[in-house]
Amino acid sequence: DLLKKYNLDLSGVRKVSGNTTVFKELFTSEDGQLRDFSEIVNPNTILKPTDIPQDYLKAKYIHICTNYPETQYELVRYLKENSNAILSIDTLEDYYYDDTKIDIIKSSFDLVDIAFIDKEFEKLYNCKAQVKIIKLGKEGCKYISSSKTFIKKAPHCDFVVDKTGSGDCVTGVFCALKSIGKKDEDALQTAVNIATESIKNYGMF
């Protein structure tokens, strides 16, 4: 109901059986930047290529959000073969530090156009994505491509309430603004600004 208020295309949204997927976090630093994160996932919520409506394949931008590495790779391969969209992808800390997963994560990041990378994930810095956006936490974001490199600083935030979804704000806002023709510099600064606003309250909105 909340998303409907924003006139979004929800044709790809559906209910699945089983318990709600639950995310838990324990803040481990006073400024809220460091946290321990865990999840209990309902396997029915794991996205498969067959779940993607055919009309979605006509999109200008498609973002592959955080997920199991095998799931991300399957989605990237499918979208590369069935869509002309500009593909972006995001990282998930739980699997980056698993040595058995890093190769498949790297394979996905090599195939996309835009890679959003947490600053700690140095093994992905040399992936083949044409654009790399390094998420620097409270410092903002760094944009890297073959033609330019720049940093957009985050506004100062006196007190962090909940940074859940702040990285998703960066990816969503940047790609949405790029899809309507905004310049990289302007799109990333707005994305960083909105991500900073998001951490001032609980939840992702």
Side-chain angles (χ1 to χ4, degrees):
D1 289 341
L2 177 61
L3 294 175
K4 285 179 182 177
K5 294 179 182 179
Y6 295 98
N7 196 29
L8 297 174
D9 178 1
L10 301 178
S11 60
V13 178
R14 62 184 177 87
K15 294 181 180 180
V16 297
S17 60
N19 295 325
T20 299
T21 289
V22 176
F23 302 101
K24 300 179 181 180
E25 57 189 346
L26 174 66
F27 295 108
T28 58
S29 67
E30 187 174 344
D31 66 358
Q33 294 295 318
L34 301 178
R35 61 180 176 165
D36 290 330
F37 181 83
S38 62
E39 75 282 344
I40 303 173
V41 177
N42 175 352
N44 293 319
T45 65
I46 299 172
L47 186 66
K48 302 178 292 295
T50 53
D51 294 321
I52 302 174
Q54 289 297 302
D55 283 350
Y56 279 27
L57 300 177
K58 301 173 185 177
K60 186 173 182 180
Y61 283 77
I62 297 178
H63 178 67
I64 298 94
C65 61
T66 55
N67 211 317
Y68 297 113
E70 295 83 2
T71 300
Q72 284 189 318
Y73 184 66
E74 182 182 22
L75 291 170
V76 171
R77 288 290 302 272
Y78 174 79
L79 292 169
K80 291 289 286 187
E81 295 173 3
N82 294 279
S83 171
N84 293 319
I86 295 171
L87 301 181
S88 60
I89 197 169
D90 203 358
T91 44
L92 188 59
E93 181 177 2
D94 294 43
Y95 305 106
Y96 173 79
Y97 295 109
D98 183 342
D99 289 338
T100 66
K101 304 290 186 182
I102 192 62
D103 285 343
I104 194 167
I105 294 173
K106 181 72 162 39
S107 296
S108 294
F109 277 65
D110 284 342
L111 291 173
V112 300
D113 304 287
I114 304 172
F116 292 91
I117 305 171
D118 288 6
K119 62 181 178 181
E120 300 88 356
F121 301 168
E122 295 181 1
K123 292 178 183 177
L124 297 175
Y125 283 9
N126 67 344
C127 71
K128 297 176 182 177
Q130 297 170 20
V131 172
K132 301 164 194 174
I133 296 177
I134 312 300
K135 295 182 287 184
L136 304 173
K138 61 184 178 182
E139 301 301 323
C141 286
K142 183 176 184 179
Y143 178 106
I144 303 170
S145 72
S146 60
S147 60
K148 58 186 174 183
T149 298
F150 59 85
I151 292 177
K152 290 298 178 180
K153 292 187 176 295
H156 176 72
C157 182
D158 290 322
F159 186 71
V160 176
V161 175
D162 181 7
K163 72 173 197 172
T164 304
S166 58
D168 297 315
C169 285
V170 170
T171 60
V173 172
F174 179 82
C175 290
L177 293 178
K178 283 294 296 173
S179 72
I180 60 173
K182 296 294 184 181
K183 294 181 179 179
D184 296 324
E185 292 83 352
D186 295 337
L188 190 57
Q189 185 65 71
T190 302
V192 168
N193 292 349
I194 292 178
T196 301
E197 283 299 311
S198 79
I199 67 178
K200 296 178 182 178
N201 293 287
Y202 286 108
M204 300 180 70
F205 295 99

